[in-house]
């Protein structure tokens, strides 16, 4: 899809599937030219095809978010950058005493440092009214069996607030979304017993859809929310009201 400076441009990382694909599709519906950034070429192109079939504008950007040179090359070739959605991340489940320092380093590198690196590359290309939305997790409040993931997502929330304060004078707004239990391949891989346990902790009794997170991103990316920055929006079916320690 040919880029046009007339259309706002959004970079969405990890948008080859799941929540990221839903975000990319929603932003394309809202008129953005979406850069589908993903490590997997086939998945990225599938998202682009889905957007194109619906009449939207998108292009694939296949890259490793840990590669700062690739990030710089990406942002420099775009005609403009209006929104950055940092969705890409990794997750695994292990008890605290089964973790090693390397597990923390790996999660921080992908879930946190890559967020910072893309923002650092993109911010000089953004104008007043630009939006950054970081996908954290409800788990940043604390959860069992993935302390490394919890710590990295808590750091994403801290980074979001720090960036919001520093960028506010420039008119660039930064917020985070903390999804709870969402219907993704990770959830589908749970045993029926484990899934039932998780759903029992939901006030709504159900998991959310990727589109629920996408709608929240669209809300924060819109100019009607230009007085919101440094906030964390929970998309968790009310889980933060209480009810247990599961994610």
């Amino acid at each position: 899809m040919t880029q046009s400076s007339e259309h706002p441009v959004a970079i969405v990382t990890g948008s080859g599937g799941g929540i990221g694909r839903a975000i990319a599709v929603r932003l394309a519906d809202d008129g953005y030219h979406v850069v589908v950034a993903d490590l997997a070429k086939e998945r990225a192109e599938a998202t682009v095809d889905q957007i194109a079939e619906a009449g939207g504008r998108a292009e694939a950007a296949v890259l490793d978010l840990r590669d700062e040179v690739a990030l710089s090359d990406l942002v420099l070739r775009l005609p403009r950058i209006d929104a950055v959605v940092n969705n890409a991340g990794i997750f695994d489940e292990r008890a605290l005493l089964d973790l090693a320092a390397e597990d923390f380093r790996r999660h921080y590198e992908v879930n946190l440092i890559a967020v910072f690196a893309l923002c650092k590359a993109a911010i000089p290309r953004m104008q007043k009214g630009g939006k950054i939305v970081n996908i954290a997790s409800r788990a940043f409040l604390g959860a069992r069996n993935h302390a490394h993931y919890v710590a990295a997502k808590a750091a994403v929330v801290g980074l979001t607030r720090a960036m919001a304060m520093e960028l506010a004078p420039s008119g660039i707004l930064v917020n985070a979304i903390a999804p709870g239990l969402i219907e993704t391949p990770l959830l589908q891989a749970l045993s029926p017993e484990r899934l039932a346990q998780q759903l029992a902790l939901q006030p709504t009794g159900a998991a959310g859809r990727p589109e629920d997170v996408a709608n929240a991103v669209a809300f924060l990316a819109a100019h009607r929310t230009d007085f919101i920055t440094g906030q964390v929006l929970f998309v968790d079916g009310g889980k933060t009201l209480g009810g247990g320690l599961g994610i």
Side-chain angles (χ1 to χ4, degrees), residues 1 8 74 96 101 127 137 149-150 152 156 170 172 177 180 185-186 188-189 201 215 225 232 244:
M1 179 69 66
L74 170 63
L96 179 65
Q127 303 295 320
S137 169
Y149 178 78
V150 170
V156 169
S170 302
I172 297 173
I177 291 173
L186 178 67
Q188 295 163 4
L201 297 172
N215 289 336
T225 55
V232 180

Side-chain angles (χ1 to χ4, degrees), residues 29-44:
D29 287 346
D30 286 350
Y32 282 90
H33 177 102
V34 180
V35 180
V36 178
D38 202 278
L39 191 59
K41 183 174 185 289
E42 290 185 1
R43 286 164 55 86

